[in-house]
Amino acid sequence: MLREPGGSWWVVAIGPVLIVATLVMEILGKGRIHWEVLTIFGVVLVGFSLLQVVAARQHVSMHLTETTLREGTETIDIADIVKIFPENNGVEPQDWESAPALGELHAVPRRRKGIGLRLADGRLVQAWARDVDRLRTELTEAHLAVKMGLPPKGNR
């Protein structure tokens, strides 16, 4: 239904692009080309970028299906959601806005917004996404379908 990968692979290309730009400047300039330094910096930049993207895709990804919600490495069943809190349009903060985020992160990740949830085990948590309005809509629809006992669309 809704998926946010958390990180984009194009970030890995930044290192090689910078190395090629530096190589072009060294070729056009006077003096020797520093192959060893360029190689070391290239490996470091690509390695760090790969690590960052893999971590983002694991810890900051979100996937909503008709029966589950996965936030980072934590997956909950839609049936375990007791209440989806409405958006706070007032000036007073709501209790759910200070609740911990779903997943292993202690807070809602940067550039994402939260939705307050009350779970069957009594926990107050925040689900999160970049497109929080779409998540709220699709999560509410999935929650309603599960509560009404409707099977997933693939099983109808």
Side-chain angles (χ1 to χ4, degrees):
M1 288 177 47
L2 180 62
R3 179 187 302 262
E4 292 181 357
S8 179
W9 288 110
W10 70 264
V11 172
V12 179
I14 293 172
V17 167
L18 291 174
I19 295 300
V20 167
T22 305
L23 180 62
V24 167
M25 288 189 295
E26 285 201 353
I27 289 171
L28 296 176
K30 296 179 181 175
R32 73 180 196 94
I33 299 174
H34 298 90
W35 291 107
E36 302 85 6
V37 174
L38 290 174
T39 303
I40 291 170
F41 279 127
V43 169
V44 169
L45 287 172
V46 169
F48 181 73
S49 299
L50 277 171
L51 181 66
Q52 187 176 14
V53 171
V54 168
R57 292 182 76 86
Q58 181 177 2
H59 300 289
V60 192
S61 61
M62 182 276 303
H63 186 210
L64 174 66
T65 68
E66 294 177 358
T67 57
T68 62
L69 171 63
R70 183 182 54 77
E71 302 270 8
T73 59
E74 183 176 0
T75 302
I76 63 168
D77 289 328
I78 302 294
D80 290 339
I81 298 173
V82 175
K83 181 176 182 177
I84 300 172
F85 289 92
E87 182 179 5
N88 183 10
N89 293 322
V91 293
E92 291 295 318
Q94 301 294 316
D95 288 341
W96 66 263
E97 291 177 296
S98 61
L102 283 171
E104 66 285 343
L105 302 175
H106 60 82
V108 173
R110 287 183 342 169
R111 295 188 296 274
R112 286 145 182 89
K113 293 185 180 177
I115 298 172
L117 303 177
R118 171 78 61 197
L119 301 180
D121 63 6
R123 289 191 303 155
L124 184 62
V125 296
Q126 290 187 68
W128 42 264
R130 284 185 184 209
D131 189 353
V132 74
D133 294 328
R134 183 169 174 211
L135 175 61
R136 182 181 300 279
T137 300
E138 295 205 19
L139 182 59
T140 302
E141 289 174 3
H143 182 252
L144 187 59
V146 167
K147 292 299 177 192
M148 291 173 55
L150 298 175
K153 290 179 185 173
N155 297 340
R156 291 184 192 167

